[in-house]
Amino acid sequence: MITVFGSINMDLVARVGRIARPGETVLSPRASSFFGGKGANQAVAAARMCGAGSINVAMVGAVGDDVFGKACLDNLRENGVDVEAVRIIDEPTGCAFITVDDSGENAITVASGANMAVRAADAPERLLSGASVVVLQIEVPLAESLELARRARKAGAMVVWNVAPVPSAIERMAIADMLATTDVLVVNEHEAVAVAAFMGEDVGGNCFKASSILARMSGLVCIVTAGAKGALAVGPDGTQYRAAARPVTAVDTTGAGDTFVGVLACGLAEKRDLGDAMRRACVAASLSCLTSGAQAGMPTREALERALTVSPTLAE
């Protein structure tokens, strides 16, 4: 079982020549809607990767009683995600406003809506006691995520915490509590440095130094995702694992990090060794950049297996 506790959004995406600077207006020919939210993205990535196998994927979250909410729930079901623990409430469904430039880079603003009403109590024990992996992010209330993580650890589940988006301000004790409830921490280069700084560690902008410090001080595995450079994991004893990304001509990088986390969770739930789980997650994240939208390009298990057997170049 993989249980994802987190956000569910509708993404509104506009393609632009370049991302607007503060105070500037940039025109786009049209806007498109896609399913998103880091929690929902990671649940879909995991479900597509686990396929019709023995590992089920469940989502714990909240949506509004509106058109976006209904569509988001239908989409999760269609992707094989159990949505019994997703509440429908009297708040608007979360919405993300995304601009994507010609190079595939993006800028995102999220209106949280119903996501702020997600509670740890929404997760029934059946999703924790039977869960092999519980996945969390930072788009729902942190206090609720911490409570859910504590429950999951007590039930014997492995906790994977993706510290994204990193909070602009947070108490050191809250970060310490988060690290204490984590088995596998997943951060990008900037997030690694920010989390280390919250813990009072000056790493001079070196994300890999940050990952080593976090792994050692908290007794966890810290994985740093670095886009086209792949990913590096450091264990509490200093053991390192590296995985390469595949070279691609990116159409849209939105959701690549969530693809990595979801596919990693599937690999861990399947009891793969960390290096193999990371390798599969990196290739899947590369594949996801070939299609617009956070979830649209997330590969199925079959697509990933094909990619793993061909040339490292996936840009064609």
Side-chain angles (χ1 to χ4, degrees), residues 19-30:
I19 294 170
R21 296 185 293 269
E24 181 182 25
T25 298
V26 174
L27 298 180
S28 173
R30 69 185 62 83

Side-chain angles (χ1 to χ4, degrees), residues 12 23 52 70-72 74 91 104 144 209 222-223 233 250 258 265 276 285 315:
L12 301 179
K70 181 181 185 303
C72 287
D74 288 344
E91 287 286 341
E144 300 299 326
K209 180 179 179 181
C222 182
I223 300 176
D258 294 333
D276 186 36

Side-chain angles (χ1 to χ4, degrees), residues 116-139:
M116 288 297 100
V118 177
R119 299 291 180 262
D122 297 338
E125 287 302 320
R126 70 175 181 84
L127 296 184
L128 303 179
S129 60
S132 54
V133 178
V134 172
V135 182
L136 306 101
Q137 323 79 35
I138 312 289
E139 285 189 333

